[in-house]
Amino acid sequence: MADADSPPRKPVSEPDELTEPFFAAGAEGRLLLAACDSCGELRLPSSPVCPSCLGEGFSWREASGRGTVYTFAVMHQRYHPAWEPDLPYNIAVVELDEGPRMPANVVGVDNGELAVGMAVEVVWQREGDAPVPRFRPAADG
Ligand SMILES: [Zn+2]
């Protein structure tokens, strides 16, 4: 039963059979990518099939966790009550140094300072018990 007095919780990605290692590594602060066993293409573990060659097998590779802001938007409107305290908040697409692009919030920077091309690094935060990958400006950015 939901407690009417507790703030609404943000929906988070639930680990499944495919993504469990991704979130387990995230709980340790590490970012994993899925490397196609057939062609080597790196991707987020969002698909069991390689988008490049349709191969099914993949192996986990640890990524640097570094990338650059590819694009972003700042949300001023409430789409879910759990995000109301965060308004306005950003949603960015980060291009990882390894190539894949990853949607995520960028934290530790004012929305007005956020810029395309900004160097960022992954920081895992928790929503409830769930590790959530976000990014912050790179320390040596
Ligand atoms: Zn492939």
Side-chain angles (χ1 to χ4, degrees):
M1 291 287 286
D3 179 353
D5 292 331
S6 65
R9 304 212 19 201
K10 294 174 182 173
V12 296
S13 298
E14 295 288 338
D16 58 20
E17 196 174 335
L18 179 68
T19 59
E20 196 280 331
F22 177 80
F23 288 104
E28 300 170 355
R30 298 183 299 127
L31 181 67
L32 297 185
L33 295 173
C36 175
D37 286 342
S38 299
C39 74
E41 172 104 347
L42 291 169
R43 66 182 191 270
L44 294 166
S46 50
S47 163
V49 172
C50 174
S52 183
C53 76
L54 302 182
E56 290 187 10
F58 71 89
S59 305
W60 293 108
R61 298 273 173 76
E62 185 161 344
S64 65
R66 300 173 62 89
T68 55
V69 174
Y70 178 76
T71 188
F72 68 93
V74 176
M75 299 296 165
H76 294 273
Q77 192 168 337
R78 188 191 87 160
Y79 294 100
H80 186 287
W83 270 273
E84 184 147 3
D86 297 350
L87 288 173
Y89 63 89
N90 67 71
I91 298 177
V93 175
V94 171
E95 186 166 82
L96 299 174
D97 284 0
E98 291 81 4
R101 290 175 187 161
M102 183 170 174
N105 307 118
V106 180
V107 298
V109 60
D110 288 341
N111 288 328
E113 307 279 314
L114 197 53
V116 168
M118 174 182 276
V120 292
E121 59 191 10
V122 74
V123 53
W124 287 84
Q125 299 183 333
R126 284 188 176 270
E127 292 292 343
D129 291 334
V132 176
R134 294 189 173 123
F135 287 82
R136 65 186 173 202
D140 57 2

